[in-house]
Amino acid sequence: MLTVPVRQLGESERRAVERLLDHDPFAGAQVAERIAARGLSWWRAEGRILGYGARRNLESLCWLGGNLTPVLATDAAVAAFADLLAGEERLCSSIVGRADAVLGLWDRLSDTWGPARDVRPNQPLLAADALPSVPADPEVRRVRSGEVDRLFPAAVAMYTEEVGVSPLAEDAGRSYRRRVNDLVRSGRAYARFVDGKVVFKAELAVVTKRTAQVQGVWVAPEWRGRGIATAAMAAVVRDALLRVAPTVSLYVNDFNLPARRVYERCGFQPIGTLATVLF
């Protein structure tokens, strides 16, 4: 029987939530960005944030929106979050976060929320806080607002390859196109163009005061194996560190050895392990 109930947190507890997120600035980056932008009021945040712990001693968090993300979730918190969520319809498209918490949640939720489309149990979380020692590709730059039409097909190809479903399947891709537009408009989308086509792309998908998190790294299939990725990523990391945040972070599938070698050359160091459950 649980002695500490899970509760939905509100704006009055924002400082406590922000203090907790500061203890895990990389795995909790997406949640921190959302709260910094929209606060904890569920009607503004487009999601709920659940807390575990005594009212004056918040121990763990769980974001429930398009994704389900536990942050600093202890074993007791995982059990408590799962007990609550098992009684609700699954609305999220994935569970993502520190591997122990994600896999613990999935072990308890799989009977009611399953089956999953894919479970990725070992995704190294990496970070860099120094400029890369390898040369940066001078042709990699921020995408301009008039280039969204050129970037969008590459973004769709990356998403489909990485996630396993097309972003065009839902609402004909309108929401995904808005997301790409937002990244370009905010100066967070990078690409290298050759003859008007994207041969490399990446985005700063999450930005907080502590880190810029890179996602969507993609090399056009016909350009793979030519060695362009290291210099291209070095350009992204260099710009992000000089212009955006004091660190750059990302997570990668453990089986993607070519990408892991690229990130290592660019100065990324392992700082933990994430896991993702995809629906």
Side-chain angles (χ1 to χ4, degrees), residues 164-246:
V165 295
S166 171
L168 305 181
E170 184 176 347
D171 71 8
R174 288 186 293 273
S175 59
Y176 187 65
R177 188 178 182 89
R178 283 196 298 271
R179 172 62 173 164
V180 173
N181 266 308
D182 288 344
L183 290 168
V184 171
R185 187 173 59 250
S186 58
R188 289 160 56 170
Y190 300 84
R192 177 181 173 184
F193 294 90
V194 175
D195 296 329
K197 294 183 178 180
V198 175
V199 300
F200 167 87
K201 65 167 285 294
E203 295 95 38
L204 304 182
V206 176
V207 173
T208 71
K209 64 182 180 180
R210 303 287 296 274
T211 194
Q213 194 164 96
V214 179
Q215 294 180 17
V217 180
W218 180 84
V219 175
E222 65 272 21
W223 282 77
R224 294 173 190 175
R226 299 193 190 186
I228 72 166
T230 297
M233 270 301 300
V236 174
V237 173
R238 181 178 180 82
D239 183 73
L241 287 175
L242 292 176
R243 186 177 60 89
V244 181

